Amino acid sequence: MAMVSVAFHKINSICERRQNWRLRVKLVRVWSMCAVATPSDPYAMQMVFVDEEGGKIEAIVQRQFMKKFSQCLVEGEVYKISNFGVSSNGGKFRASGHDYKLSFTACTQVTKCVGVSIPGLGLSLLKTSDLKKTRGHSVYLVDFMGVVTVVSEELNINKEGRKTRLMLIDLVDEFGKIRFAVFGDFINVVMEFLALEDHGFPVVIIQFARVNLYKGEVGIQNVMNATKILWNPHIPLAVEFKNSLAVHEIETNVSISTITDRRQAPSMRDEFLKLYPKKSIGQLYDMLEVLFCISVFCLFCGLIFSLGGMRCSLCAHPFFPQEGHYIILATVSEIVDDFKWWYMACSCMKGVSFVEGLPFCEDCNRYVFDMTPRYKVKLLVCDGNDNAFFILWDLDCYYLVNKTCRQMLDDIEGQPKGLLPEEIRNLVGKEMLFRIENSHEDLLSFSDTYKIKKVCCDVDIVAQYKEEVADETPLKLKFAPAFPKLAEADANGEGLELSTCCKTIATELEITPPSCVTSSANGEESGSLGKRDVEDQDEAPLKRKKRSRVRAVKVERN
């Protein structure tokens, strides 16, 4: 009895223990791999194959063998493959979940199978709930099916120092909504589908998409040359999916919403001349002084003072310093060279720390190995009267030096450690406009270091800013008259003791400290102005009373 040999092996049985594998597989996807900077110069070709049992594996063809295989491999065809290498499946983004991948060599044989078909598209569909479990981080490319509900207009953004096109698409399945970010020329493919005449929400299948995290929300995005989109595919899986949406009360017979009336981002001129108040560095420090005076008063009188605001009428007082963004005109006086000018960042833009020698992102709560260097430059700036420290972050630093942080590090490779790049040193002496953030957290830490939200070094805008400031009538700080007696004493050069200062604030704000609230014989509480009671506290300590709510007392003046 003759032995019958196995004609072809199954994809799921492939491992490194043997080399004489023979496969009969269907090519479901092939694409060129290239660097972003050189899209027309591919360095490899990548493919994904499936077999009759649904096994899926990826294969790679290096540059020197691309000419041999690029003409004979067509998506959707079935091939017999033999004499290939097997290696571990690694890499930044993997197109299949198989532990191994195929490597085509000069000896690899590929023969087209005529009259043989293998059904299926090699889909490994995930639901919205499955994608959200990844928390925006996955080494595998994913497949997703949903209906298109909302499409944004095309945007032009700056990504990693490069200008690129972006379109956002909302996809919905029975478990929720996911956002599909479409970058680059792949937008043209989407626009062709959107131009088709069709009624209702279209069903789309996205193959080989990358999982991302944008503003805390998990989404997917296309991968250059790899991602494939199927628009209203005529397959039973898509029909069954669309019918299932009716069970979940998701309406699919309406038109796609197109966001074309999106509010336009303000121009650089409007942002720095109209949208935010103009301040000087001295005015920022004045805010800190007022806050310090109020905090001393609160601590002296036993009031509660916290980041969430004070549980007393001070937090609602119109002269309480408010957080916000301000425009400052200043000149860079110095680069603080004892402050590291760059840091390694996770994909979420936050810095990484090292735990047991491994990079760890506390915000993502995971170890990260795909890190990007980003700028963080500390500047000492001067507006002619006062100095302050400003932190210049990645995008704004790129705007000023026209180089990404990675490019800058490559340029200074081999130079002495700790030496500032020339492009950053050249910022000294430049006059520019800064939009800075003054948050409650910064105010309450009494810090003289401010975060830069955006910079502008346009000569015309800076000149117009100077003209507008010169034309404005000098105004007193609006929070200065909050304490007229203190302001008058300060103007006359008279110093006030701490107790007198606190009593003055209490009187002018009409606040009764809780320690000054007394109870009458019938149990009713009464309060008086802090002036008399604060004096009494110096003579004899009051007995601890039951904590009472702070009351405002109306003062009648003659």
Side-chain angles (χ1 to χ4, degrees), residues 297 314 317 319 480-488 501-511 529-530 555 557:
F297 164 69
L314 283 177
H317 196 273
F319 303 113
F483 314 114
K485 295 182 180 179
L486 295 183
E488 182 181 354
C501 178
C502 293
K503 288 187 291 183
T504 304
I505 296 174
T507 303
E508 295 182 352
L509 292 182
E510 302 180 359
I511 297 295
L529 288 178
V555 178
R557 304 183 185 274

Side-chain angles (χ1 to χ4, degrees), residues 8-22:
F8 299 104
H9 300 96
K10 303 302 179 185
I11 284 179
N12 290 334
S13 64
I14 289 180
C15 62
E16 290 180 308
R17 290 193 295 271
R18 60 178 295 175
Q19 296 296 324
N20 56 337
W21 299 99
R22 298 181 69 230

Side-chain angles (χ1 to χ4, degrees), residues 73-85:
L73 291 169
V74 180
E75 286 186 11
E77 299 292 342
V78 179
Y79 298 93
K80 290 185 293 185
I81 305 174
S82 59
N83 297 336
F84 50 81

Side-chain angles (χ1 to χ4, degrees), residues 238-248:
V239 176
E240 181 182 349
F241 169 74
K242 192 163 187 176
N243 293 336
S244 69
L245 295 179
V247 178
H248 295 85

Side-chain angles (χ1 to χ4, degrees), residues 430-492:
K430 285 191 174 182
E431 185 182 46
M432 61 189 81
L433 293 170
F434 300 90
R435 175 162 68 89
I436 62 98
E437 180 184 23
N438 201 25
S439 65
H440 279 161
E441 182 180 355
D442 297 328
L443 283 168
L444 295 173
S445 64
F446 301 104
S447 171
D448 61 349
T449 301
Y450 298 90
K451 303 171 187 173
I452 298 175
K453 305 304 290 185
K454 198 168 184 179
V455 297
C456 174
C457 56
D458 185 281
V459 177
D460 294 335
I461 297 177
V462 172
Q464 187 174 347
Y465 180 94
K466 291 180 178 179
E467 291 177 3
E468 292 182 2
V469 171
D471 292 341
E472 291 177 357
T473 304
L475 299 175
K476 295 181 180 179
L477 297 177
K478 66 177 182 180
F479 45 78
F483 314 114
K485 295 182 180 179
L486 295 183
E488 182 181 354
D490 184 61
N492 296 333

